[in-house]
Structures are given as structure tokens and as C-alpha cells.
Amino acid sequence: MTQHLTPSKDTVRDEIAFIRRAIEEGRSYAHVHGVDMIVWGVLMGIGYLGNYARVAGFSSINPDWIWLACVLAGWIFSLRKRLRGKFCSGPAAPMVRALQMLWFSCGITLTCMALAMAFNAGIQADQLKAISAGVLGIGFFVSAFLTNVRWLRFVACGWWGGEIIFCFFHLGPYPQLLGAVLMFGLLALPGYLLSRKP
């Protein structure tokens, strides 16, 4: 005969406190690292504007060099503490670690796709735009639940809407402008809002 063990009130209270503390740690991490989103949003927006200028005939500069500079600058900024040897004094909280790994994996995925396109590995620029929007949508959607910052779900939906548009609308200079608008409006701006005091 099996007995159903009911958790005590103290156990339930401790578990609720742990969940609340984990979510608060995640929210604090998002506020601190909103600056990274601002930097990446601005840099990627500049990359898209470089594409637009070339496609529209306003510039003769190869946009690949602009993208290379922007991506390198973004990674250097995001990894600045590790590059200076300033590691965390202790292990990161579980929710913080989850957010770190979420956005780090998003960055690695998009960088790998960009490198594949640069080396003509079968990825086209139009495909990369749609893939990038989809990956950022995933990043924001998961972050919304890890941090309990609910408005990030709407940012995710904006990125997924951009992904659909990129899939069907890829002729001329206007998708480049859309990419810039999305980077400034759905990456840099949320970063700014997150970086403000809660």
C-alpha cells in the first residue's frame, strides 16, 4: 500500500520563495545587461543601413566589411569582462546562467549562419534575415518567462512578424530598412527600457 506524501507548508513556502528569488535574479540580470541589447541593436542596425545604402546606390562601400566590423565590435563588447580576465567571483544563479546561455547560444547560432553566408555555404542574405528574426523572437519569448517581464512577449511577436515579412518580401532596398527598424526598435529600444531602473 503506497502512501501519498503531501509536502509540508514550510516546504511549499520555501519552494515559492526559491522561484520568486530566481525570477528576481533573472529580472535583475536583464536590467543590468540591457546595455548589451542597446549596443547590438545599434550595431546591427548600422549593418542593415550599410546594406540599404549599397542596394539603393548611395554608397560604394562593400557592406560585408561593415557587417564584419559591427559583429566583431558586438562580440568584443559582450565579452569585455572575460577578455579583461574579470570573471564572476562565484557561480551564477541558475536563472542568470539560463539567460546567459540562452542569449549566448542565440549569438553563436546567428554568427555561424552569417559565416556560412559569407563563405557561400548555401545560406542567402534573404534567408539569414528571416532566420535572425526568428532566433531573436525565441530569445525574447523565453526571456519573458525567465524574467517575468511580460512585455518581452510582444517584442518576440514583433520579431516573428518580421520573420514572416522577410520570408515573402525580399526585393529591393526596403527589406534592409525593415531590418534596421527592427534592430533599433525591437532590440536597442527594449534594451534601453530594460536598462532603466526597475
Side-chain angles (χ1 to χ4, degrees):
M1 183 175 178
T2 58
Q3 293 182 345
H4 295 285
L5 298 177
T6 303
S8 66
K9 289 183 179 180
D10 289 340
T11 302
V12 172
R13 192 179 302 114
D14 290 343
E15 289 176 354
I16 292 172
F18 174 78
I19 293 169
R20 286 179 177 169
R21 186 167 59 253
I23 289 174
E24 195 57 42
E25 288 168 347
R27 186 181 292 119
S28 297
Y29 174 83
H31 285 295
V32 169
H33 290 275
V35 176
D36 289 74
M37 289 184 180
I38 297 172
V39 170
W40 275 102
V42 170
L43 289 172
M44 296 301 98
I46 290 171
Y48 274 110
L49 290 178
N51 275 3
Y52 170 75
R54 180 64 180 267
V55 174
F58 299 137
S59 172
S60 60
I61 299 173
N62 186 342
D64 290 345
W65 292 110
I66 298 174
W67 278 110
L68 178 62
C70 289
V71 170
L72 284 176
W75 276 114
I76 289 171
F77 183 83
S78 291
L79 299 175
R80 62 196 179 279
K81 291 182 179 179
R82 293 187 179 273
L83 292 173
R84 292 198 303 258
K86 294 183 178 180
F87 294 92
C88 297
S89 57
M95 197 66 74
V96 170
R97 178 62 66 188
L99 284 164
Q100 287 174 337
M101 294 302 101
L102 168 67
W103 284 105
F104 184 67
S105 60
C106 287
I108 290 293
T109 299
L110 294 178
T111 302
C112 289
M113 298 297 288
L115 288 173
M117 187 192 74
F119 288 102
N120 298 316
I123 301 295
Q124 302 297 320
D126 295 329
Q127 295 171 326
L128 183 58
K129 291 185 191 73
I131 292 169
S132 298
V135 169
L136 289 170
I138 292 170
F140 276 105
F141 192 75
V142 175
S143 294
F145 287 92
L146 292 180
T147 62
N148 203 30
V149 180
R150 297 181 180 180
W151 59 265
L152 291 178
R153 291 178 292 184
F154 299 106
V155 177
C157 290
W159 277 112
W160 288 328
E163 179 183 20
I164 293 171
I165 295 172
F166 282 135
C167 286
F168 295 99
F169 179 59
H170 52 263
L171 297 175
Y174 300 108
Q176 317 303 329
L177 279 181
L178 174 61
V181 168
L182 289 173
M183 289 298 174
F184 290 128
L186 295 182
L187 188 56
L189 179 59
Y192 169 73
L193 295 175
L194 286 172
S195 66
R196 297 171 65 189
K197 292 293 184 182

